[in-house]
Amino acid sequence: MSMVSVRPTTAARTRLRPVGATPPTVTGGFWAERLRTNRERTIPHGFDLLRSTGTLDNLRVAAGAAGRYRALADSSGATFPFLDSDVYKWLEAVGWELGRPVPAGSGGSLDALAAAANEAIGVVAAAQRPDGYVNSYWQGPGREPHTDLAWGHEFYCVGHLVQAAVAWHRALGDDRLLTIATRAVDRIDREFGPGGRDGIDGHPGIEMALVELARTTGEQRYLRLAQRMIDLRGHGLIGGGRFGPSYWQDHSPVREAAEAAGHVVRQLYLDSGAVDVAVELGDEDLLAAVRRRWADLIRTRTYLTGGMGSRHKDEAFGDPFELPPDRAYTETCAAIAAVMLAWRLLLATGDVQYADAVERIVYNGVLPGLSLDGTGFFYTNPLQRRTHRAWEPAGDAGRRPWYPCACCPPNLMRTLSSWPQYLATADDDGVQLHQYATADVTAETGQGTVRLSVETDYPWDGAVAVRVQDAPEGPWTLSLRVPEWCGSASLRLDDEAPVPLPAGRHDCHRQWAPGDTVVLTLDLPVRVSEPHPRVDAVRGCAAVERGPLVYCLESVDLPDGTELEELRWDATRAPAELARADGDPVVRVAVPLAGDDVAGLTVAAVPYYAWANRGMGGMRVWIPR
Ligand SMILES: [Zn+2]
């Protein structure tokens, strides 16, 4: 089995591909700080919670230790059968972390992570049955594997096991997890593969993992199993249940469904797998079906923050334009799944709109799920919190250290750990920079190896300097993205005059030499955004954006005695960027406000991702006019 050189997904028939054996390395700026927090605080915290909640012990019990399957009590009293997946997502994060160059001063913390991961891998290996089956819930007394595919989450958990295994293989060349994962998948393939029992999991997710396993091992059987699971959906195998067939993604064949429907994370994981299968098999119809659903989803069912899903009851999409800010569900995992899907569509098509989507969603849909100190998590991410709701002692006030259904925390960990991989892609002609961060990028192009260093204070500042460190003989193309929100941008090459650029992707094709530098300048004026007129819940409101960031007002910034709910825009004055104070982690925007009993007031809005870090109060993104 050879090391493959592409990540976090690799595919044969995509328009763009990951940069190569070495993923980009973030070396400074905004993302270095977020990644450091994830590595030093969030991931160690995750291991502590996997231990203290019993999640890791569940696998020990499956391996024969005394005890029984344990889960935190949910308000509904449900016992979740999918907690193993939290261990796997955490392991995936650690795999990416250990595979990165060691940042100065973090050697000790990485040693501790490696030791924790070794412990977890050992526990998973011990839990696996001789036939390859591993699931600590279903290995419990009185339970039989594959007797409740609708609720059981068995394939789903194996999917996360595979994704962790692929990360360890690619990042470290360590195949301990890959051996376990391959045996687990072979067990499924024997029972459910072509010619076997027709069965699909109530929660998609394994499909994209199977394609990655096929790419990693070269074993096409896994691709055929993924294809079969995609094809079996939408034919009533699971049927209705409490929330109807769309909850399981069993309402319509994957290549026929016109709109995104049902449980958001399930839909987006399924479509991620569908893109992977489509590009491997050259299935243009399947890819077109996903692109159609995505276009409709972005147009009719996506919040300003990139969040998706407005129904709490079944974690589902609402109707078109049903996007209430206060009742938004917008699960952190849904935003993560949307990034995964948009990235796959970007690779498959090269279409810059998908990179725009990744940017909006990661800054405003994913990052709010994690506190700035790295140890508190939001499961849901509403765009409004009424002041009186924040006073409630229990319930949704504030981020929590963990959840009974803990899907989001380790999903954040693995997403941040793999984030550098989303910065750039390569193709035969050259390198494409999609997201801007201070980073070193090494890319394998058709012309040879390109090394770039990028320096920027993005998203606070719009100047992005790209310096060529190494370039092959002959011309190649450096592509840069001007985001959809950017009305004014320019590009300057060395000492030449700047050239204005519209939004979109821009190709600079030339002979490059080490030392050549291009500076992309994106203007980041404060923008006042209006909602689509069909979104009833925020009609007559406006929101503040700057660069890729959506802003919000928090009651902590109001004068004593003023309530957020009584304030509206003061139309006579314009919002303005505030000079960034020393040590302030964010750039603030002054928003002019007024109220019936409030004379003109100016309040500093903060980026939405940074809300709820200074105590829990009222918050709103959409402000009445
Ligand atoms: Zn989640």
Side-chain angles (χ1 to χ4, degrees):
M1 202 179 294
S2 65
M3 279 286 285
V4 289
S5 61
V6 271
R7 59 185 75 201
T9 62
T10 150
R13 302 179 197 218
T14 57
R15 167 69 186 79
L16 306 176
R17 52 181 187 256
V19 290
T22 311
T25 306
V26 172
T27 55
F30 179 90
W31 284 103
E33 180 58 23
R34 300 307 294 167
L35 299 188
R36 187 186 64 76
T37 301
N38 185 46
R39 181 179 60 249
E40 294 181 0
R41 306 280 318 259
T42 314
I43 297 176
H45 169 86
F47 190 67
D48 290 346
L49 270 291
L50 290 172
R51 274 181 153 164
S52 63
T53 55
T55 300
L56 206 54
D57 279 344
N58 288 339
L59 285 155
R60 285 197 177 88
V61 170
R68 50 193 293 252
Y69 188 88
R70 193 149 70 90
L72 293 179
D74 178 65
S75 55
S76 69
T79 297
F80 298 119
F82 44 72
L83 300 180
D84 292 357
S85 62
D86 300 332
V87 176
Y88 303 146
K89 280 186 270 191
W90 178 87
L91 276 169
E92 182 185 338
V94 178
W96 297 128
E97 290 299 333
L98 297 179
R100 260 213 289 277
V102 180
S106 60
S109 65
L110 288 178
D111 290 346
L113 276 189
N118 285 340
E119 181 185 331
I121 292 170
V123 171
V124 177
Q128 187 167 40
R129 285 179 175 168
D131 70 349
Y133 187 86
V134 57
N135 184 297
S136 69
Y137 177 84
W138 287 100
Q139 286 172 241
R143 300 188 182 118
E144 278 300 315
H146 304 152
T147 51
D148 184 2
L149 293 180
W151 290 107
H153 288 80
E154 290 155 287
F155 299 175
Y156 167 86
C157 286
V158 169
H160 282 297
L161 171 60
V162 169
Q163 287 179 323
V166 168
W168 278 72
H169 173 81
R170 288 198 188 138
L172 297 159
D174 183 325
D175 286 351
R176 287 176 292 168
L177 280 171
L178 192 61
T179 302
I180 300 168
T182 304
R183 292 179 60 216
V185 170
D186 287 343
R187 167 70 179 80
I188 293 173
D189 192 42
R190 283 195 298 276
E191 185 173 349
F192 295 93
R197 185 178 156 194
D198 286 348
I200 51 173
D201 197 294
H203 199 311
I206 194 174
E207 299 81 3
M208 58 181 144
L210 289 172
V211 177
E212 285 285 72
L213 187 62
R215 291 166 178 163
T216 302
T217 62
E219 176 54 75
Q220 296 306 296
R221 211 159 30 90
Y222 304 135
L223 177 59
R224 287 196 295 275
L225 184 59
Q227 180 189 18
R228 174 168 157 79
M229 288 178 173
I230 298 266
D231 287 345
L232 284 174
R233 262 184 208 278
H235 298 285
L237 269 178
I238 303 185
R242 211 188 310 165
F243 302 124
S246 66
Y247 180 77
W248 324 104
Q249 295 298 317
D250 198 26
H251 58 292
S252 176
V254 178
R255 64 182 66 242
E256 290 173 19
E259 298 176 349
H263 187 280
V264 179
V265 175
R266 293 169 202 235
Q267 171 75 80
L268 298 174
Y269 279 1
L270 177 62
D271 273 353
S272 293
V275 174
D276 285 343
V277 167
V279 296
E280 287 298 324
L281 297 175
D283 188 337
E284 292 293 336
D285 289 346
L286 184 57
L287 179 61
V290 178
R291 295 189 73 179
R292 215 165 42 232
R293 280 193 288 277
W294 176 267
D296 183 67
L297 174 57
I298 290 292
R299 193 178 70 81
T300 68
R301 273 173 257 229
T302 303
Y303 283 93
L304 185 69
T305 55
M308 296 170 185
S310 53
R311 297 274 178 90
H312 285 241
K313 186 188 68 165
D314 50 352
E315 305 187 303
F317 300 100
D319 288 339
F321 304 103
E322 180 192 338
L323 296 165
D326 48 350
R327 296 296 296 158
Y329 191 67
T330 44
E331 183 183 343
T332 302
C333 284
I336 289 169
V339 167
M340 293 166 72
L341 176 53
W343 167 250
R344 282 164 169 77
L345 289 168
L346 173 66
L347 291 179
T349 66
D351 191 332
V352 71
Q353 65 162 306
Y354 300 117
D356 285 335
V358 167
E359 176 174 73
R360 176 171 294 274
I361 299 165
V362 84
Y363 279 106
N364 307 292
V366 175
L367 286 186
L370 184 61
S371 62
L372 293 180
D373 72 4
T375 57
F377 306 96
F378 273 138
Y379 194 113
T380 65
N381 297 276
L383 284 73
Q384 177 181 7
R385 174 86 68 201
R386 288 193 174 76
T387 305
H388 80 272
R389 300 286 298 181
W391 296 338
E392 293 176 2
D396 288 336
R399 294 183 181 83
R400 295 193 215 170
W402 206 247
Y403 285 84
C405 172
C407 51
C408 303
N411 222 359
L412 280 162
M413 294 171 206
R414 68 175 185 145
T415 302
L416 289 167
S417 291
S418 54
W419 171 246
Q421 303 172 27
Y422 292 87
L423 300 181
T425 57
D427 65 4
D428 286 347
D429 298 329
V431 185
Q432 304 81 38
L433 295 183
H434 301 290
Q435 312 298 337
Y436 297 121
T438 296
D440 293 332
V441 178
T442 301
E444 305 303 330
T445 74
Q447 318 298 311
T449 303
V450 172
R451 283 203 314 120
L452 306 171
S453 60
V454 183
E455 255 193 69
T456 180
D457 195 23
Y458 198 78
W460 312 123
D461 185 90
V464 182
V466 183
R467 187 181 174 87
V468 176
Q469 301 289 2
D470 252 322
E473 294 292 316
W476 53 275
T477 304
L478 172 64
S479 299
L480 300 167
R481 180 178 65 95
V482 175
E484 40 85 20
W485 48 259
C486 188
S488 172
S490 65
L491 188 70
R492 181 168 54 79
L493 172 64
D494 291 325
D495 296 330
E496 296 174 13
V499 181
L501 296 179
R505 203 175 100 181
H506 299 281
D507 296 338
C508 318
H509 182 77
R510 67 192 293 269
Q511 175 97 41
W512 299 89
D516 285 350
T517 301
V518 295
V519 177
L520 174 70
T521 303
L522 306 169
D523 282 355
L524 308 176
V526 172
R527 314 193 299 284
V528 177
S529 305
E530 289 183 25
H532 192 289
R534 290 176 66 173
V535 184
D536 304 274
V538 290
R539 189 172 295 136
C541 293
V544 172
E545 295 183 85
R546 179 180 178 274
L549 300 174
V550 174
Y551 276 70
C552 67
L553 297 175
E554 282 194 279
S555 54
V556 66
D557 293 311
L558 301 180
D560 282 347
T562 307
E563 265 207 8
L564 187 55
E565 288 72 18
E566 65 183 305
L567 298 174
R568 59 177 182 266
W569 281 96
D570 177 353
T572 64
R573 296 178 290 151
E577 178 182 330
L578 291 168
R580 191 168 165 194
D582 265 359
D584 196 336
V586 302
V587 169
R588 291 162 204 267
V589 171
V591 179
L593 299 167
D596 290 341
D597 303 317
V598 182
L601 184 67
T602 301
V603 174
V606 297
Y608 172 69
Y609 83 80
W611 88 281
N613 280 286
R614 299 171 294 159
M616 194 63 194
M619 178 278 294
R620 71 187 310 164
V621 168
W622 292 109
I623 306 162
R625 296 219 265 200

